[in-house]
Every structure is written in structure tokens, then in C-alpha cells.
Amino acid sequence: MKLLLNKQKLKKQEFIKFAYNFSLAYTVFSILSHVILTPTQKHVFNGHIVTDDHSVDCLCSNFDKYCLCTPSLAIDVVVVNAMDQILTVKRNFPPVGSALPGGFVNIGESVEEAAIRELNEETGLTITVDDLSFIPKIFSAPKRDQRRHTASVCYKVEFNESMGKPKAGDDAKEVKFVARKDLHLQFDHEAIVAYVLRI
């Protein structure tokens, strides 16, 4: 009986030693793979030095040997009704407040597809590519979005009832048409509206 207990105690000690060594080896491998195997890039943004982990922060094809971190590509849509009111969404997430419908372009998606998708997700409106009027200016000021550097492709849409009735969805908690004089928008969206209505 005593011999059996000693054997069990020895097996338990061996298992604990194995688990400890395995955990230590895994930790060392993780650190080395992050420091040596993962390419990094230092760049200056808003006065700060930032180091990007390309395998995490950048969305690259599996075939890319190197991932270059660039500004995030976004789209914004200026929907105008017959009374020259602008369709706005109230954001659910920071920065909270009202904004134009829009969002980021997904991997494998064109900017036109992104505009159609985001407008539908946030406002319930259904449009086609023929409803999109391209705005010949890219809004790309480094500090236009406090979260990250973004570059936005913008479109104008002339609203008509065949597109449906605006209804909040996705990350928008409210959607409504607002007179231009009453606009209070996040980001540089008021500048986008001013530019769109000027051309």
C-alpha cells in the first residue's frame, strides 16, 4: 500500500514538473515569435510613436509577406431629401453623437458596395449603385477621426420613397432627416455636407 502511494506521489510530481516546463516553453516561444517573427513598424501619429503588430492590427492577405499599415478606408453617404434635409444617424458607440451614415470598407468589398451595405444596415434604405453620386474629394485629414487615421470616400444620394422608410439599425440607435442649419455632427461630417451641397 505504501509503495503504491509513493508511485502515485511520484507520478503527480512528474506531471507537475512536466506542466511547469511546458508552460515555461510556451511562454518563451510566444515572446520570441512576437519579437522576432512578427514584423513591426514604428510610425508617428498625433505626435506619438506607435509600434504596430502587423499580424494583429493590419488586415492582410495570407499571401502577403509584409503588411503595410495605412489609414483605414471608410465611406460616408450624404442622403438629401426634397426639402434639402440631411439624413443623420445617432451613434450607439463612441464617439457618441450624430453623424452621416457610413463605415469602414470590408476586405474584398468595393467602396460602392460598402456604401450600399452601410446605408442599408444603419438606415434601412435600399439603394443601387446607380443611386450613388461620387463626390470628387477624399476626406483624409489625419485627425478627422479621433480613434485612428481614416480616409473617406463620399457619395451623395437623392432620397426617394422607393428606397424605403428610414429605420435605425446596426450601430445606429436613431435615424432622421435634419435641416442643414440644425446639424451638429461628429468627425468632419459637417464639412463633408458643406462640400457636397456646394458642388
Side-chain angles (χ1 to χ4, degrees):
M1 182 68 178
K2 186 176 181 180
L3 181 62
L4 180 61
L5 290 174
N6 286 338
K7 285 184 177 180
Q8 289 177 342
K9 185 177 181 181
L10 182 62
K11 286 183 178 180
K12 185 177 181 180
Q13 289 174 340
E14 289 175 347
F15 176 79
I16 292 174
K17 184 177 180 181
F18 170 80
Y20 172 81
N21 289 335
F22 178 83
S23 176
L24 182 62
Y26 181 80
T27 301
V28 172
F29 173 80
S30 298
I31 294 172
L32 289 176
S33 64
H34 179 78
V35 173
I36 298 175
L37 300 180
T38 304
T40 58
Q41 173 187 356
K42 290 185 177 180
H43 61 93
V44 178
F45 180 65
N46 285 355
H48 300 285
I49 299 295
V50 180
T51 300
D52 292 318
D53 181 340
H54 293 185
S55 65
V56 176
D57 293 342
C58 295
L59 296 176
C60 290
S61 163
N62 291 331
F63 301 103
D64 287 345
K65 293 183 179 179
Y66 179 77
C67 179
L68 177 65
C69 283
T70 63
S72 299
L73 180 60
I75 55 88
D76 290 300
V77 185
V78 181
V79 182
V80 186
N81 66 12
M83 294 180 287
D84 283 334
Q85 295 174 320
I86 308 300
L87 188 64
T88 65
V89 297
K90 186 166 288 188
R91 295 171 51 82
N92 255 328
F93 304 111
V96 294
S98 296
L100 294 172
F104 293 107
V105 180
N106 291 332
I107 299 297
E109 184 179 50
S110 71
V111 289
E112 293 86 358
E113 290 169 338
I116 292 169
R117 173 183 56 78
E118 285 285 354
L119 187 63
N120 180 258
E121 289 176 355
E122 293 187 353
T123 72
L125 299 184
T126 301
I127 65 171
T128 68
V129 68
D130 293 331
D131 296 312
L132 295 171
S133 297
F134 173 69
I135 305 305
K137 176 178 172 62
I138 304 299
F139 292 82
S140 60
K143 296 182 181 181
R144 66 182 298 270
D145 188 328
Q146 66 191 55
R147 300 167 299 175
R148 64 180 68 85
H149 187 179
T150 65
S152 183
V153 177
C154 301
Y155 293 94
K156 180 181 179 182
V157 171
E158 299 283 353
F159 175 76
N160 64 70
E161 292 184 356
S162 68
M163 297 174 181
K165 185 177 180 180
K167 182 180 180 182
D170 194 29
D171 56 353
K173 63 180 180 180
E174 182 180 284
V175 56
K176 63 180 180 179
F177 281 102
V178 178
R180 183 181 173 186
K181 64 181 179 64
D182 297 323
L183 288 176
H184 300 285
L185 304 178
Q186 292 290 324
F187 314 115
D188 57 352
H189 288 184
E190 289 183 41
I192 292 176
V193 171
Y195 184 89
V196 169
L197 297 184
R198 187 170 68 245
I199 62 175

